[in-house]
Amino acid sequence: MILLQKTKAIKKHVDFIIVGAGMAGSILALQLMNRGKRVLVFDVPSDNRCSMVAAGLCNPVTGKGLTKTWLADLLFPYLHQFYQQTSHQLKSPFFFPTRLYRPFLTVEEQNEWMGVSSDDRLLKFIEHVYTTSQFNSQVHDPLGGLLVREAAYVQTPVFLSSVRAYLLQQDSFEEKMIADQDIQMESDRVVVSGFTADHLIFCNGIAARNTSWFNWVPLQALKGETLTVTSKEDPQVVYNRSVYLVPSMGGMFRVGATYNWKDVTPGITATAREELEQSLRQLVTFECQVQRQDWGIRPTIADRKPILGPHPFWQRLWFFNGLGTKGVSLSPYFAAQLAEVLCGTGEIHPQVNINRFYPLYSKSQS
């Protein structure tokens, strides 16, 4: 990489340029603008498949072992506050707090949760542990299940389009794909496609693997497929076991999602549809009609933690990525953390700091 001469015919200078307007880039843009910073976002909306097809479910109790989500005590109060305030700011209803019900599959699982349900660390998120069927008119739960509070869902297409409309109103959005040749590094600024900024942040998901600046970061592609369904039934809560059933736009529901590390070929598959339909039949007792099938590629990392921080050499280049399957719940808190650092205060949580991968950059340069 070569430090280039100053570029002429500059269009505009801003504090920060963000590449990518999925959940990470959109929320970071809002966090910076709410702190009085000038922001310019580059994105091609049609490429945001991962964010656009997501059900937007935020679940504080997840995983096969039904454990509390990592940093849930910090993430969930913050995401509720952020999305509610942002919904008011953008005048757009996209955030819906909800309860979530997860049926037990075994007596052992039931007993385990009866044993830990009084744990003070979990009481905040557990409304009730049922040992007999509670929602049997809608879901298969002969052994009862776990009723979770503090859950929520974000209608991501509504959220992303609302943020984009806001950015356009503020003259802060450019519909353009940014490639390496569009970026020039200078001693006191970054030049991107004729615009200049003090800093440039890559929030472009799996596409970041294609840029020479951050191709050393070990992002992994995780394909997910979802179904959009309709039903005459009105679910009492969000149901989640193997698949989720989450309200979507227009009275429909999102069902998902698959996890495929091996086949990341663009497009939907018959195998995924069969898997999702079978899991849905095992979860709910009522009929659903499939209206659409979608796919997306999630950017994830082996340790399942986001990646935040500056390039090890080019200190005006930053990275916010790797949010995987929990981008909707992780983005608000860590975008705020990164915004504080970019504004000169705060620090990055050590478990998400990009410096944990700096040795990989050194190896790539040797």
Side-chain angles (χ1 to χ4, degrees), residues 3-58:
L3 196 65
L4 301 177
Q5 298 294 322
K6 292 210 173 201
T7 304
K8 298 179 181 179
I10 296 303
K11 300 175 183 177
K12 182 173 70 173
H13 181 80
V14 296
D15 298 309
F16 301 98
I17 289 177
I18 295 173
V19 178
M23 295 302 295
S26 295
I27 293 176
L28 180 60
L30 291 175
Q31 295 281 17
L32 289 168
M33 294 174 78
N34 289 341
R35 288 165 171 77
K37 299 301 180 181
R38 297 166 297 169
V39 171
L40 179 62
V41 178
F42 284 89
D43 186 67
V44 178
S46 61
D47 291 343
N48 287 324
R49 296 200 60 87
C50 177
S51 294
M52 288 295 288
V53 307
L57 182 61
C58 304

Side-chain angles (χ1 to χ4, degrees), residues 107-317:
V107 173
E108 289 76 17
E109 185 180 63
Q110 180 195 80
N111 291 337
E112 180 181 353
W113 272 99
M114 286 298 296
V116 302
S117 60
S118 61
D119 190 325
D120 290 341
R121 294 169 296 180
L122 292 168
L123 283 177
K124 179 178 181 180
F125 302 112
I126 298 175
E127 182 166 319
H128 204 280
V129 178
Y130 293 100
T131 57
T132 58
S133 181
Q134 178 66 19
F135 296 94
N136 63 342
S137 64
Q138 293 189 331
V139 71
H140 299 291
D141 65 336
L143 298 174
L146 183 69
L147 188 61
V148 177
R149 55 185 167 211
E150 298 296 320
Y153 61 92
V154 175
Q155 291 184 344
T156 54
V158 178
F159 172 75
L160 293 173
S161 62
S162 298
V163 174
R164 185 165 66 252
Y166 177 74
L167 293 172
L168 286 167
Q169 290 172 2
Q170 303 297 318
D171 192 27
S172 297
F173 184 85
E174 289 285 321
E175 187 167 339
K176 176 180 171 59
M177 184 73 70
I178 296 301
D180 278 7
Q181 59 266 28
D182 299 313
I183 302 171
Q184 300 175 4
M185 302 299 299
E186 297 182 352
S187 59
D188 58 348
R189 63 184 183 177
V190 182
V191 183
V192 182
S193 196
F195 296 89
T196 63
D198 297 329
H199 298 277
L200 168 63
I201 309 107
F202 286 87
C203 304
N204 53 339
I206 203 66
R209 299 196 305 185
N210 300 326
T211 174
S212 60
W213 309 99
F214 288 101
N215 59 5
W216 47 273
V217 178
L219 283 178
Q220 299 176 7
L222 174 60
K223 184 177 179 179
E225 297 186 50
T226 63
L227 301 177
T228 298
V229 304
T230 55
S231 176
K232 295 179 180 179
E233 194 77 17
D234 183 18
Q236 299 177 47
V237 294
V238 168
Y239 298 121
N240 181 25
R241 188 76 208 213
S242 298
V243 292
Y244 49 68
L245 183 70
V246 179
S248 186
M249 298 177 295
M252 295 186 284
F253 301 88
R254 191 64 60 82
V255 178
T258 60
Y259 302 85
N260 197 327
W261 301 93
K262 297 180 180 179
D263 178 12
V264 293
T265 306
I268 60 175
T269 64
T271 301
R273 176 163 177 164
E274 181 180 354
E275 175 186 336
L276 292 170
E277 288 185 326
Q278 180 178 351
S279 295
L280 181 61
R281 287 192 297 269
Q282 293 172 348
L283 175 64
V284 299
T285 60
F286 50 86
E287 292 294 323
C288 295
Q289 294 75 44
V290 176
Q291 303 299 320
R292 190 175 68 249
Q293 184 175 353
D294 292 295
W295 65 277
I297 305 295
R298 314 172 183 101
T300 188
I301 204 77
D303 63 11
R304 299 187 178 183
K305 302 292 190 299
I307 310 170
L308 288 69
H311 191 279
F313 181 78
W314 301 101
Q315 293 295 297
R316 295 185 182 275
L317 298 182

Side-chain angles (χ1 to χ4, degrees), residues 64-75:
K64 292 182 179 180
L66 286 174
T67 56
K68 186 168 67 172
T69 298
W70 175 69
L71 294 184
D73 294 319
L74 294 175
L75 298 177

Side-chain angles (χ1 to χ4, degrees), residues 77-117:
Y78 189 86
L79 74 84
H80 277 267
Q81 178 187 35
F82 170 81
Y83 284 124
Q84 288 170 351
Q85 290 179 347
T86 304
S87 182
H88 178 74
Q89 176 186 355
L90 301 181
K91 298 180 175 59
S92 177
F94 54 75
F95 179 66
F96 302 90
T98 188
R99 296 182 302 164
L100 182 148
Y101 184 66
R102 183 157 175 167
F104 294 135
L105 293 183
T106 65
V107 173
E108 289 76 17
E109 185 180 63
Q110 180 195 80
N111 291 337
E112 180 181 353
W113 272 99
M114 286 298 296
V116 302
S117 60

